[in-house]
């Protein structure tokens, strides 16, 4: 398990907090971050462990995290701000709306979706994030060669995720290269789990299902 990063002597709350544009429209990402570095999006940041570690390990990359649960959003904002990170922005809102309305074409280098709600009851399946309509938006905002990573502990949802991704002609399965699931200086982050959910599920002995697909 990776240790938490040390607390800085300043905070960056006002910089990190990103309010949704009103009216909704594509965000000028180079203007937002003050540079033209590649931008990656994490959907459903939970307690912010991946976002914190990734943003700290890769200062040459910008990150946006979005979380619908206010308690998790505020927890993550606090964790990021007290480490004085400047290459990450955090949004409180619904991911489908944000991707569809607030991101321009080919604006992202990667999308991370770790342990999305499986909505296990059949009548709730339409609420699942990984479904054909949402993948169309992912394909629009990912640059060619952009990476989509999805991880779940739910076996039935994993079957659906694999089927939906394979069926979409805009994506192809990424080759299993050594660096596919690594963070600089931290190695393979799947060994101990880089999200709080994965750490918990590994302790419970749950199988973890991973998907990595490239935008054609």
């Amino acid at each position: 398990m990776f240790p938490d990063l040390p607390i800085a002597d300043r905070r960056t709350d006002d910089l990190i907090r990103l309010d949704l544009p009103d009216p909704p429209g594509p965000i000028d990402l180079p203007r937002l971050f003050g540079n033209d570095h590649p931008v990656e999006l994490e959907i459903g940041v939970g307690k912010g462990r991946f976002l914190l570690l990734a943003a700290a390990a890769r200062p040459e990359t910008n990150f946006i995290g979005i979380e619908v649960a206010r308690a998790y959003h505020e927890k993550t904002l606090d964790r990021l701000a007290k480490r004085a990170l400047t290459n990450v922005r955090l949004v409180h809102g619904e991911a489908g709306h944000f991707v569809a309305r607030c991101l321009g074409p080919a604006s992202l280098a990667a999308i991370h979706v770790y342990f999305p709600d499986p909505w296990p009851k059949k009548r709730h399946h339409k609420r699942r994030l990984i479904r054909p309509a949402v993948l169309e938006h992912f394909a629009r905002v990912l640059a060619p060669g952009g990476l989509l990573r999805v991880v779940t502990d739910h076996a039935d949802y994993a079957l659906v995720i694999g089927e939906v991704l394979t069926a979409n002609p805009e994506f192809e399965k990424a080759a299993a290269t050594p660096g596919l699931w690594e963070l600089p200086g931290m190695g393979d982050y799947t060994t101990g789990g880089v999200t709080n959910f994965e750490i918990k599920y590994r302790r419970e002995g749950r199988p973890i299902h991973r998907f990595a697909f490239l935008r054609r």
Side-chain angles (χ1 to χ4, degrees):
M1 185 186 304
F2 305 127
D4 263 341
L5 300 170
I7 296 174
D9 57 2
R10 64 187 180 94
R11 293 180 63 100
T12 49
D13 300 70
D14 291 341
L15 180 68
I16 290 173
R17 191 186 299 273
L18 175 59
D19 294 324
L20 293 173
D22 185 18
I27 297 169
D28 185 337
L29 297 181
R31 182 177 179 182
L32 175 68
F33 287 100
N35 57 59
D36 60 358
H37 295 170
V39 180
E40 300 189 7
L41 171 69
E42 185 187 10
I43 294 176
V45 302
K47 296 180 181 179
R49 187 162 179 77
F50 170 77
L51 198 59
L52 172 65
L53 293 172
R58 298 169 57 198
E60 76 290 348
T61 300
N62 297 321
F63 291 88
I64 297 175
I66 184 163
E67 175 59 54
V68 70
R70 181 168 291 280
Y72 281 152
H73 168 78
E74 295 298 333
K75 172 71 173 179
T76 298
L77 182 66
D78 179 65
R79 295 184 76 183
L80 297 170
K82 67 185 180 183
R83 270 91 182 178
L85 293 171
T86 60
N87 63 325
V88 60
R89 303 292 185 269
L90 195 63
V91 179
H92 176 238
E94 195 275 319
H97 172 84
F98 180 75
V99 173
R101 305 289 297 275
C102 302
L103 295 174
S107 58
L108 299 180
I111 297 175
H112 306 264
V113 185
Y114 299 137
F115 302 96
D117 192 328
W119 293 106
K121 294 182 179 179
K122 187 173 181 179
R123 67 178 183 273
H124 293 155
H125 285 183
K126 62 184 178 181
R127 300 184 184 182
R128 287 174 167 174
L129 178 68
I130 306 302
R131 60 186 193 272
V134 176
L135 284 185
E136 290 180 10
H137 292 303
F138 285 0
R140 181 184 65 83
V141 301
L142 276 171
L147 184 61
L148 171 61
R149 293 187 181 96
V150 185
V151 182
T152 182
D153 66 301
H154 193 277
D156 290 341
Y157 195 11
L159 290 174
V160 173
I161 291 170
E163 291 172 357
V164 171
L165 284 170
T166 302
N168 190 303
E170 302 294 341
F171 290 94
E172 62 181 350
K173 192 173 182 179
T177 59
L180 186 60
W181 299 95
E182 292 186 355
L183 287 172
M186 299 180 183
D188 183 344
Y189 65 73
T190 67
T191 302
V194 78
T195 71
N196 291 84
F197 283 123
E198 184 168 356
I199 292 169
K200 174 185 175 182
Y201 296 157
R202 279 179 172 273
R203 288 173 179 167
E204 295 173 356
R206 300 191 197 185
I208 305 298
H209 308 272
R210 303 183 189 282
F211 301 89
F213 278 70
L214 296 173
R215 173 70 164 89
R216 294 182 188 273

